[in-house]
Amino acid sequence: MTNTTNRHDRISIQTEDFSLADEVDYLEDNNVEDGAVVTFCGRVRNRNLGSNVKGLTLEHYPGMTEKSLQNIIATARTKWNIGRVCVIHRIGKLTIGEQIVFVGVTSKHRGDAFSANEFIMDFLKIEAPFWKKELTDEGEKWLDSRGSDTTKAQSWNDSDDTPNA
Amino acid sequence: MTIKVNFFAALREQLNCSEMQLTISAPLSVEQAKQLIISQQPQWSAILTNGSLLNAVNHDIVDDDFIVSPNDELAFFPPVTGG
């Protein structure tokens, strides 16, 4: 991964919560080239597939997770002209309303950062080795992957990568 | 010579095993490694032959015919559900 990982990529897999303000500071600090900062934050919903969700446990494959995210970011860098990238994913036990995942991307103009952010999130959903176990009123259950997530990620192969070129 | 084999998430719970060492005499395919594991743990057969499982070698997703060598790290797991 030596030649594809940009020095401005920050990847963190962590149990503790993160601060949106701190992550935006990281993306913007000493960065006057980029006029666009696009951030996405995913949180634990209270309902899923008709069940009341009390919380989640997130498991991951240490080492492979980081490598997978580096690969996804490297691919995004081949498609768009982007500056800094930050991906944070939490693991362990989470309760409803808690933050799970953060993706932040900067670019000179907004189009590249919007597209790259969505691309990174779409491929994180289908490639990065994380697994959610949901605690509901009916007990604990590992979530099944969704075909719609695969379809969404694959749609990038067919689309124009540079909408604001 | 051995390879390390990891199992994750629902698969880990079904097998009640998170990792094992597999002794091999020569490089072999992921599918052959799986059959070798099943020959040692026949009760795992139905679970490990579930076609939706993914394979990784040294932290990259690979196909069933990918060749695993001694000291490689092999992993089996269900489709991912993060984000």
Side-chain angles (χ1 to χ4, degrees), chain B residues 21-50:
Chain B
Q21 297 289 332
L22 192 64
T23 301
I24 62 172
S25 50
L28 77 181
S29 72
V30 169
E31 179 58 29
Q32 288 169 327
K34 191 184 283 189
Q35 293 306 323
L36 184 59
I37 294 167
I38 290 171
S39 73
Q40 296 172 10
Q41 305 282 348
Q43 73 279 18
W44 290 359
S45 177
I47 300 167
L48 280 180
T49 51
N50 177 338

mmCIF file of all heavy atoms in Angstrom, chain B residues 21-50:
data_model
loop_
_atom_site.group_PDB
_atom_site.id
_atom_site.type_symbol
_atom_site.label_atom_id
_atom_site.label_comp_id
_atom_site.label_asym_id
_atom_site.label_seq_id
_atom_site.Cartn_x
_atom_site.Cartn_y
_atom_site.Cartn_z
ATOM 1 N N GLN B 21 -5.036 -23.473 13.301
ATOM 2 C CA GLN B 21 -3.839 -23.670 12.486
ATOM 3 C C GLN B 21 -4.073 -24.896 11.618
ATOM 4 O O GLN B 21 -4.516 -25.937 12.114
ATOM 5 C CB GLN B 21 -2.610 -23.902 13.379
ATOM 6 C CG GLN B 21 -2.256 -22.729 14.284
ATOM 7 C CD GLN B 21 -1.681 -21.548 13.524
ATOM 8 O OE1 GLN B 21 -1.074 -21.707 12.474
ATOM 9 N NE2 GLN B 21 -1.894 -20.352 14.061
ATOM 10 N N LEU B 22 -3.791 -24.773 10.338
ATOM 11 C CA LEU B 22 -3.981 -25.883 9.414
ATOM 12 C C LEU B 22 -2.600 -26.310 8.921
ATOM 13 O O LEU B 22 -1.854 -25.494 8.369
ATOM 14 C CB LEU B 22 -4.860 -25.422 8.253
ATOM 15 C CG LEU B 22 -5.415 -26.485 7.311
ATOM 16 C CD1 LEU B 22 -6.364 -27.429 8.055
ATOM 17 C CD2 LEU B 22 -6.146 -25.816 6.147
ATOM 18 N N THR B 23 -2.264 -27.565 9.132
ATOM 19 C CA THR B 23 -0.962 -28.077 8.684
ATOM 20 C C THR B 23 -1.069 -28.531 7.232
ATOM 21 O O THR B 23 -1.953 -29.327 6.895
ATOM 22 C CB THR B 23 -0.514 -29.246 9.574
ATOM 23 O OG1 THR B 23 -0.432 -28.785 10.919
ATOM 24 C CG2 THR B 23 0.848 -29.774 9.138
ATOM 25 N N ILE B 24 -0.193 -28.002 6.398
ATOM 26 C CA ILE B 24 -0.214 -28.377 4.982
ATOM 27 C C ILE B 24 1.201 -28.775 4.549
ATOM 28 O O ILE B 24 2.193 -28.330 5.135
ATOM 29 C CB ILE B 24 -0.740 -27.233 4.084
ATOM 30 C CG1 ILE B 24 0.159 -25.997 4.176
ATOM 31 C CG2 ILE B 24 -2.174 -26.868 4.457
ATOM 32 C CD1 ILE B 24 -0.191 -24.911 3.172
ATOM 33 N N SER B 25 1.273 -29.600 3.518
ATOM 34 C CA SER B 25 2.587 -30.068 3.058
ATOM 35 C C SER B 25 3.038 -29.303 1.817
ATOM 36 O O SER B 25 4.224 -29.304 1.480
ATOM 37 C CB SER B 25 2.547 -31.559 2.759
ATOM 38 O OG SER B 25 1.441 -31.838 1.922
ATOM 39 N N ALA B 26 2.088 -28.640 1.138
ATOM 40 C CA ALA B 26 2.415 -27.905 -0.080
ATOM 41 C C ALA B 26 1.331 -26.867 -0.313
ATOM 42 O O ALA B 26 0.247 -26.959 0.265
ATOM 43 C CB ALA B 26 2.489 -28.870 -1.259
ATOM 44 N N PRO B 27 1.603 -25.858 -1.169
ATOM 45 C CA PRO B 27 0.547 -24.884 -1.487
ATOM 46 C C PRO B 27 -0.704 -25.588 -2.000
ATOM 47 O O PRO B 27 -0.614 -26.642 -2.645
ATOM 48 C CB PRO B 27 1.186 -24.028 -2.581
ATOM 49 C CG PRO B 27 2.651 -24.116 -2.312
ATOM 50 C CD PRO B 27 2.876 -25.525 -1.829
ATOM 51 N N LEU B 28 -1.841 -25.023 -1.696
ATOM 52 C CA LEU B 28 -3.113 -25.621 -2.129
ATOM 53 C C LEU B 28 -4.132 -24.510 -2.325
ATOM 54 O O LEU B 28 -3.910 -23.373 -1.895
ATOM 55 C CB LEU B 28 -3.601 -26.672 -1.125
ATOM 56 C CG LEU B 28 -4.260 -26.252 0.196
ATOM 57 C CD1 LEU B 28 -4.619 -27.490 0.997
ATOM 58 C CD2 LEU B 28 -3.413 -25.339 1.014
ATOM 59 N N SER B 29 -5.229 -24.827 -3.014
ATOM 60 C CA SER B 29 -6.227 -23.796 -3.283
ATOM 61 C C SER B 29 -7.077 -23.547 -2.036
ATOM 62 O O SER B 29 -7.111 -24.372 -1.111
ATOM 63 C CB SER B 29 -7.120 -24.212 -4.444
ATOM 64 O OG SER B 29 -7.981 -25.242 -4.041
ATOM 65 N N VAL B 30 -7.784 -22.419 -2.032
ATOM 66 C CA VAL B 30 -8.688 -22.117 -0.923
ATOM 67 C C VAL B 30 -9.719 -23.239 -0.778
ATOM 68 O O VAL B 30 -10.025 -23.678 0.334
ATOM 69 C CB VAL B 30 -9.385 -20.756 -1.157
ATOM 70 C CG1 VAL B 30 -10.513 -20.546 -0.162
ATOM 71 C CG2 VAL B 30 -8.377 -19.621 -1.071
ATOM 72 N N GLU B 31 -10.239 -23.716 -1.913
ATOM 73 C CA GLU B 31 -11.228 -24.787 -1.866
ATOM 74 C C GLU B 31 -10.632 -26.059 -1.257
ATOM 75 O O GLU B 31 -11.268 -26.734 -0.441
ATOM 76 C CB GLU B 31 -11.767 -25.069 -3.279
ATOM 77 C CG GLU B 31 -12.788 -26.189 -3.361
ATOM 78 C CD GLU B 31 -14.018 -25.959 -2.499
ATOM 79 O OE1 GLU B 31 -14.378 -24.785 -2.270
ATOM 80 O OE2 GLU B 31 -14.605 -26.961 -2.024
ATOM 81 N N GLN B 32 -9.388 -26.380 -1.636
ATOM 82 C CA GLN B 32 -8.727 -27.565 -1.065
ATOM 83 C C GLN B 32 -8.476 -27.384 0.433
ATOM 84 O O GLN B 32 -8.608 -28.341 1.207
ATOM 85 C CB GLN B 32 -7.406 -27.826 -1.798
ATOM 86 C CG GLN B 32 -7.618 -28.372 -3.204
ATOM 87 C CD GLN B 32 -6.326 -28.368 -4.025
ATOM 88 O OE1 GLN B 32 -5.467 -27.492 -3.862
ATOM 89 N NE2 GLN B 32 -6.188 -29.347 -4.905
ATOM 90 N N ALA B 33 -8.126 -26.169 0.829
ATOM 91 C CA ALA B 33 -7.925 -25.904 2.260
ATOM 92 C C ALA B 33 -9.233 -26.109 3.020
ATOM 93 O O ALA B 33 -9.255 -26.692 4.105
ATOM 94 C CB ALA B 33 -7.407 -24.474 2.457
ATOM 95 N N LYS B 34 -10.328 -25.641 2.404
ATOM 96 C CA LYS B 34 -11.638 -25.811 3.040
ATOM 97 C C LYS B 34 -11.970 -27.297 3.191
ATOM 98 O O LYS B 34 -12.450 -27.733 4.248
ATOM 99 C CB LYS B 34 -12.702 -25.093 2.184
ATOM 100 C CG LYS B 34 -14.038 -24.966 2.864
ATOM 101 C CD LYS B 34 -15.067 -24.329 1.943
ATOM 102 C CE LYS B 34 -14.929 -22.839 1.813
ATOM 103 N NZ LYS B 34 -16.071 -22.228 1.083
ATOM 104 N N GLN B 35 -11.693 -28.081 2.156
ATOM 105 C CA GLN B 35 -11.964 -29.524 2.223
ATOM 106 C C GLN B 35 -11.079 -30.206 3.271
ATOM 107 O O GLN B 35 -11.516 -31.150 3.941
ATOM 108 C CB GLN B 35 -11.774 -30.169 0.848
ATOM 109 C CG GLN B 35 -12.801 -29.733 -0.198
ATOM 110 C CD GLN B 35 -14.238 -29.930 0.264
ATOM 111 O OE1 GLN B 35 -14.559 -30.903 0.952
ATOM 112 N NE2 GLN B 35 -15.109 -28.989 -0.078
ATOM 113 N N LEU B 36 -9.846 -29.719 3.422
ATOM 114 C CA LEU B 36 -8.942 -30.274 4.437
ATOM 115 C C LEU B 36 -9.481 -29.985 5.838
ATOM 116 O O LEU B 36 -9.451 -30.853 6.719
ATOM 117 C CB LEU B 36 -7.539 -29.674 4.244
ATOM 118 C CG LEU B 36 -6.418 -30.201 5.144
ATOM 119 C CD1 LEU B 36 -6.231 -31.706 4.965
ATOM 120 C CD2 LEU B 36 -5.109 -29.465 4.816
ATOM 121 N N ILE B 37 -10.011 -28.767 6.019
ATOM 122 C CA ILE B 37 -10.606 -28.413 7.319
ATOM 123 C C ILE B 37 -11.811 -29.314 7.590
ATOM 124 O O ILE B 37 -11.971 -29.850 8.691
ATOM 125 C CB ILE B 37 -11.039 -26.926 7.334
ATOM 126 C CG1 ILE B 37 -9.815 -26.013 7.241
ATOM 127 C CG2 ILE B 37 -11.848 -26.620 8.593
ATOM 128 C CD1 ILE B 37 -10.154 -24.554 6.942
ATOM 129 N N ILE B 38 -12.637 -29.520 6.562
ATOM 130 C CA ILE B 38 -13.840 -30.341 6.736
ATOM 131 C C ILE B 38 -13.451 -31.800 7.034
ATOM 132 O O ILE B 38 -14.127 -32.472 7.823
ATOM 133 C CB ILE B 38 -14.741 -30.236 5.486
ATOM 134 C CG1 ILE B 38 -15.360 -28.827 5.423
ATOM 135 C CG2 ILE B 38 -15.823 -31.311 5.489
ATOM 136 C CD1 ILE B 38 -16.090 -28.517 4.119
ATOM 137 N N SER B 39 -12.357 -32.266 6.448
ATOM 138 C CA SER B 39 -11.929 -33.650 6.725
ATOM 139 C C SER B 39 -11.533 -33.814 8.193
ATOM 140 O O SER B 39 -11.650 -34.895 8.761
ATOM 141 C CB SER B 39 -10.770 -34.044 5.803
ATOM 142 O OG SER B 39 -9.581 -33.385 6.194
ATOM 143 N N GLN B 40 -11.073 -32.695 8.803
ATOM 144 C CA GLN B 40 -10.686 -32.754 10.227
ATOM 145 C C GLN B 40 -11.858 -32.442 11.154
ATOM 146 O O GLN B 40 -11.863 -32.836 12.312
ATOM 147 C CB GLN B 40 -9.557 -31.746 10.497
ATOM 148 C CG GLN B 40 -8.275 -32.078 9.739
ATOM 149 C CD GLN B 40 -7.230 -30.966 9.851
ATOM 150 O OE1 GLN B 40 -7.378 -30.028 10.628
ATOM 151 N NE2 GLN B 40 -6.178 -31.084 9.065
ATOM 152 N N GLN B 41 -12.822 -31.670 10.636
ATOM 153 C CA GLN B 41 -14.000 -31.263 11.420
ATOM 154 C C GLN B 41 -15.252 -31.536 10.579
ATOM 155 O O GLN B 41 -15.878 -30.600 10.071
ATOM 156 C CB GLN B 41 -13.928 -29.763 11.765
ATOM 157 C CG GLN B 41 -12.673 -29.317 12.483
ATOM 158 C CD GLN B 41 -12.692 -29.668 13.953
ATOM 159 O OE1 GLN B 41 -13.733 -30.062 14.501
ATOM 160 N NE2 GLN B 41 -11.561 -29.567 14.616
ATOM 161 N N PRO B 42 -15.635 -32.821 10.438
ATOM 162 C CA PRO B 42 -16.740 -33.166 9.521
ATOM 163 C C PRO B 42 -18.062 -32.471 9.882
ATOM 164 O O PRO B 42 -18.870 -32.190 8.997
ATOM 165 C CB PRO B 42 -16.868 -34.684 9.684
ATOM 166 C CG PRO B 42 -15.578 -35.133 10.275
ATOM 167 C CD PRO B 42 -15.046 -33.999 11.076
ATOM 168 N N GLN B 43 -18.226 -32.155 11.155
ATOM 169 C CA GLN B 43 -19.482 -31.513 11.579
ATOM 170 C C GLN B 43 -19.602 -30.079 11.031
ATOM 171 O O GLN B 43 -20.662 -29.468 11.100
ATOM 172 C CB GLN B 43 -19.599 -31.518 13.113
ATOM 173 C CG GLN B 43 -18.699 -30.562 13.858
ATOM 174 C CD GLN B 43 -17.263 -31.068 14.048
ATOM 175 O OE1 GLN B 43 -16.803 -31.989 13.370
ATOM 176 N NE2 GLN B 43 -16.542 -30.442 14.970
ATOM 177 N N TRP B 44 -18.511 -29.521 10.498
ATOM 178 C CA TRP B 44 -18.529 -28.167 9.938
ATOM 179 C C TRP B 44 -18.924 -28.155 8.462
ATOM 180 O O TRP B 44 -19.033 -27.084 7.855
ATOM 181 C CB TRP B 44 -17.153 -27.504 10.064
ATOM 182 C CG TRP B 44 -16.774 -27.149 11.464
ATOM 183 C CD1 TRP B 44 -17.509 -27.325 12.605
ATOM 184 C CD2 TRP B 44 -15.540 -26.544 11.884
ATOM 185 N NE1 TRP B 44 -16.821 -26.882 13.695
ATOM 186 C CE2 TRP B 44 -15.615 -26.391 13.284
ATOM 187 C CE3 TRP B 44 -14.400 -26.116 11.209
ATOM 188 C CZ2 TRP B 44 -14.573 -25.825 14.032
ATOM 189 C CZ3 TRP B 44 -13.361 -25.553 11.947
ATOM 190 C CH2 TRP B 44 -13.447 -25.401 13.344
ATOM 191 N N SER B 45 -19.117 -29.323 7.865
ATOM 192 C CA SER B 45 -19.286 -29.419 6.418
ATOM 193 C C SER B 45 -20.391 -28.516 5.875
ATOM 194 O O SER B 45 -20.164 -27.713 4.968
ATOM 195 C CB SER B 45 -19.550 -30.870 6.034
ATOM 196 O OG SER B 45 -19.784 -30.961 4.660
ATOM 197 N N ALA B 46 -21.603 -28.635 6.431
ATOM 198 C CA ALA B 46 -22.730 -27.876 5.889
ATOM 199 C C ALA B 46 -22.504 -26.371 6.034
ATOM 200 O O ALA B 46 -22.853 -25.585 5.144
ATOM 201 C CB ALA B 46 -24.012 -28.282 6.604
ATOM 202 N N ILE B 47 -21.881 -25.974 7.151
ATOM 203 C CA ILE B 47 -21.675 -24.544 7.415
ATOM 204 C C ILE B 47 -20.611 -23.967 6.473
ATOM 205 O O ILE B 47 -20.792 -22.905 5.877
ATOM 206 C CB ILE B 47 -21.250 -24.336 8.887
ATOM 207 C CG1 ILE B 47 -22.342 -24.865 9.836
ATOM 208 C CG2 ILE B 47 -20.961 -22.871 9.176
ATOM 209 C CD1 ILE B 47 -21.895 -25.001 11.281
ATOM 210 N N LEU B 48 -19.515 -24.705 6.300
ATOM 211 C CA LEU B 48 -18.405 -24.178 5.491
ATOM 212 C C LEU B 48 -18.664 -24.261 3.986
ATOM 213 O O LEU B 48 -17.985 -23.580 3.204
ATOM 214 C CB LEU B 48 -17.105 -24.924 5.815
ATOM 215 C CG LEU B 48 -16.377 -24.480 7.083
ATOM 216 C CD1 LEU B 48 -15.112 -25.300 7.275
ATOM 217 C CD2 LEU B 48 -16.029 -23.000 7.034
ATOM 218 N N THR B 49 -19.623 -25.083 3.569
ATOM 219 C CA THR B 49 -19.902 -25.174 2.130
ATOM 220 C C THR B 49 -21.034 -24.233 1.714
ATOM 221 O O THR B 49 -21.475 -24.252 0.574
ATOM 222 C CB THR B 49 -20.240 -26.622 1.715
ATOM 223 O OG1 THR B 49 -21.256 -27.126 2.578
ATOM 224 C CG2 THR B 49 -19.021 -27.507 1.813
ATOM 225 N N ASN B 50 -21.486 -23.381 2.650
ATOM 226 C CA ASN B 50 -22.460 -22.345 2.325
ATOM 227 C C ASN B 50 -21.868 -21.415 1.256
ATOM 228 O O ASN B 50 -20.832 -20.797 1.458
ATOM 229 C CB ASN B 50 -22.773 -21.553 3.600
ATOM 230 C CG ASN B 50 -23.720 -20.400 3.366
ATOM 231 O OD1 ASN B 50 -23.867 -19.908 2.245
ATOM 232 N ND2 ASN B 50 -24.370 -19.971 4.424
#
